[in-house]
Amino acid sequence: METTRKHCQIIAPISGRTIELSKVPDPVFSERMTGDGLAILLENDKVIAPCDGIITLFFDTKHAFAITTATGVQVLVHIGLDTVILNGKGIRALYEPGQQVKAGDVVLWLDLGLLRKKQINLISPVLIVNYESVSNMQPLRPGELVTIGADPVIEYDL
């Protein structure tokens, strides 16, 4: 019996340069405790849904959200490494948990000036939380400049 694999992509939720996850200066991410993927050095003031699905997690501080796809893959977008200290200041969420999103929908607006003024590290991990449920996962190589909504940053098979 032959099984057919479905090839899937996660698009860039922000614009910036890609960083290998092991180089992120936070062990929660570099040691893949919360998932596998890559990070992007944030360069713009909006964050979009990187895939279709339902928002299944939104931190009260709005610095991170997860989308679960129809196939059960959970994608986490974490804005900056220490944005949690702002307690939601400078981040405006346009969705709530339980709401459906399509790839490209704006999920967050950021006050980039405030984030920079507060010296927030803008390295932003994009992860597949349940990466053991996918195969042939390929994050984009480090050092690539990606454009929000245009470039695939993680590819995988189901």
Side-chain angles (χ1 to χ4, degrees), residues 3-139:
T3 58
T4 309
R5 290 209 177 270
K6 181 180 177 196
H7 188 71
C8 304
Q9 294 181 332
I10 302 298
I11 61 170
I14 57 175
S15 292
R17 196 157 302 277
T18 58
I19 300 167
E20 185 179 320
L21 208 52
S22 65
K23 305 285 189 222
V24 173
D26 182 328
V28 169
F29 300 113
S30 63
E31 295 175 18
R32 292 168 172 76
M33 292 180 208
T34 53
D36 199 359
L38 77 166
I40 302 170
L41 184 57
L42 174 76
E43 292 183 353
N44 59 288
D45 64 355
K46 68 179 176 179
V47 182
I48 65 165
C51 57
D52 296 350
I54 295 174
I55 295 188
T56 48
L57 173 70
F58 223 128
F59 283 85
D60 291 341
T61 51
K62 303 180 209 129
H63 71 285
F65 63 90
I67 296 173
T68 302
T69 69
T71 56
V73 175
Q74 191 175 42
V75 179
L76 178 73
V77 178
H78 193 286
I79 300 305
L81 295 181
D82 41 11
T83 39
V84 69
I85 64 170
L86 296 178
N87 203 27
K89 287 185 178 71
I91 304 172
R92 186 163 57 99
L94 304 178
Y95 287 89
E96 296 176 2
Q99 290 186 297
Q100 182 83 36
V101 290
K102 293 261 182 225
D105 289 349
V106 178
V107 176
L108 298 174
W109 281 105
L110 308 172
D111 181 342
L112 216 46
L114 177 69
L115 297 182
R116 288 185 172 130
K117 181 181 171 192
K118 297 286 186 179
Q119 299 182 339
I120 298 299
N121 185 326
L122 296 176
I123 292 175
S124 301
V126 180
L127 310 170
I128 293 181
V129 176
N130 55 345
Y131 60 92
E132 66 286 342
S133 67
V134 304
S135 60
N136 301 322
M137 187 174 133
Q138 290 295 316

